[in-house]
Amino acid sequence: MTNRVSILGCGQIGETILLGAVNGGLDKNQISISAHSKKRVDFLTEKYGVVGNTDNNTAMKNADIIILAVPYPAVDNLLKKIEADIKPNTIIVSLIAEISLSDLQTKIPNHSAIVRAMPNIGSKVGFGLTLLSFGNNISDSQINEIESFFALFGKNIIVSDDQQHNMAPLSSSGLSYVLYMTDALIEGNAIRGISRDISLQMMQNILSATSALLKQNNGQNISDLLHSMCSPGGSGIKRIANLDRKGVKSAFVDAISEDI
């Protein structure tokens, strides 16, 4: 990948993308960042070896891809300041969950190559999941460039703009739910007298094995796969039944399906 990438507003999500891109092999000389304070810029430039600036217009100079990672309240002011300096073929990628593609197009009416992206924290370790939605006027070659960039640190799923909202609870927070479950299982093991270090090793293996099984049995009903592991009348199915009685599955379903 030869594109120059500028991340404007390099806070937590911006740094996640930065780390994923650097670890994914993007040359540090191809990346520039901006942040709200010199202290933050100095921290990021020293840690990652990229060019940084507190001035967004300077940070995005010569960029082929501009990634908007600022908080929602700051986006209007940012776009007003940088719009005149955006090159015609530059791709604008918004990580701002509150802004749809149509809203973004309204804010920068003279620019057509726009993308909405929703990455997750797995990008830090090369297992990111990014939902990508493309504006109507973006070219095929530009789509390929964006897919290549986000593929540096994980998997991409192309979705319609209106699917972003419905898919976000799982794509963005799914790791949190799995960590929550993992913490509960380790705590339960601690009550049985098993050290947390050993339980963590057990869970790392269990999670890796679960991922491998899901991949191997792609297309198989998850309930069928689950119950194929539990013998009738055995302790496993009894423990699953106990979780069902206590509404654990329903709680996870509600966590994903309900708007909060």
Side-chain angles (χ1 to χ4, degrees), residues 168-185:
L170 182 58
S171 66
S172 295
S173 301
L175 283 167
S176 307
Y177 303 141
V178 173
L179 287 174
Y180 179 87
M181 175 197 69
T182 300
D183 186 53
L185 293 172

Side-chain angles (χ1 to χ4, degrees), residues 7-250:
I7 304 172
L8 304 185
C10 204
Q12 183 176 354
I13 187 63
E15 186 177 358
T16 295
I17 296 300
L18 173 58
L19 176 58
V22 170
N23 287 345
L26 188 63
D27 191 321
K28 297 175 183 179
N29 293 321
Q30 295 173 239
I31 308 172
S32 62
I33 60 96
S34 74
H36 68 284
S37 70
K38 186 176 184 301
K39 182 179 179 181
R40 175 68 175 168
V41 170
D42 290 345
F43 167 78
L44 293 170
T45 55
E46 182 178 345
K47 183 175 181 180
Y48 297 103
V50 297
V51 175
N53 206 290
T54 55
D55 180 72
N56 292 305
N57 294 67
T58 302
M60 69 179 220
K61 189 176 181 180
N62 299 320
D64 302 301
I65 298 171
I66 296 175
I67 298 176
L68 308 179
V70 297
Y72 174 62
V75 69
D76 285 344
N77 187 49
L78 169 66
L79 291 175
K80 287 177 183 177
K81 289 184 176 180
I82 70 171
E83 184 176 9
D85 290 336
I86 301 174
K87 296 186 301 181
N89 293 324
T90 301
I91 307 168
I92 307 297
V93 181
S94 171
L95 306 184
I96 306 163
E98 298 89 344
I99 299 180
S100 67
L101 280 177
S102 59
D103 288 341
L104 185 60
Q105 188 68 82
T106 300
K107 294 178 187 295
I108 45 174
N110 297 321
H111 202 77
S112 60
I114 59 173
V115 181
R116 186 179 179 190
M118 187 173 292
N120 68 12
I121 200 70
S123 303
K124 286 185 173 182
V125 290
F127 285 91
L129 176 63
T130 303
L131 305 181
L132 292 174
S133 302
F134 299 106
N136 294 329
N137 298 317
I138 191 169
S139 69
D140 289 343
S141 63
Q142 289 172 322
I143 288 174
N144 290 335
E145 290 167 12
I146 292 302
E147 289 189 287
S148 295
F149 173 72
F150 284 97
L152 289 171
F153 41 86
K155 179 180 177 61
N156 306 325
I157 299 179
I158 299 175
V159 302
S160 64
D161 190 34
D162 57 4
Q163 284 180 305
Q164 289 265 359
H165 175 74
N166 289 330
M167 294 178 70
L170 182 58
S171 66
S172 295
S173 301
L175 283 167
S176 307
Y177 303 141
V178 173
L179 287 174
Y180 179 87
M181 175 197 69
T182 300
D183 186 53
L185 293 172
I186 289 175
E187 185 172 328
N189 229 17
I191 292 172
R192 297 180 69 89
I194 310 301
S195 77
R196 293 182 183 273
D197 286 343
I198 292 176
S199 294
L200 179 58
Q201 293 178 45
M202 294 170 67
M203 285 306 305
Q204 288 170 337
N205 177 268
I206 289 165
L207 292 170
S208 295
T210 302
S211 178
L213 281 168
L214 288 172
K215 186 174 182 179
Q216 183 183 69
N217 293 274
N218 187 32
Q220 183 176 353
N221 185 285
I222 301 296
S223 294
D224 291 342
L225 181 60
L226 171 64
H227 287 99
S228 71
M229 302 177 183
C230 300
S231 302
S235 60
I237 194 63
K238 289 178 180 178
R239 295 184 192 280
I240 294 295
N242 191 30
L243 291 174
D244 284 342
R245 282 194 297 272
K246 294 182 178 179
V248 174
K249 185 174 183 178
S250 296

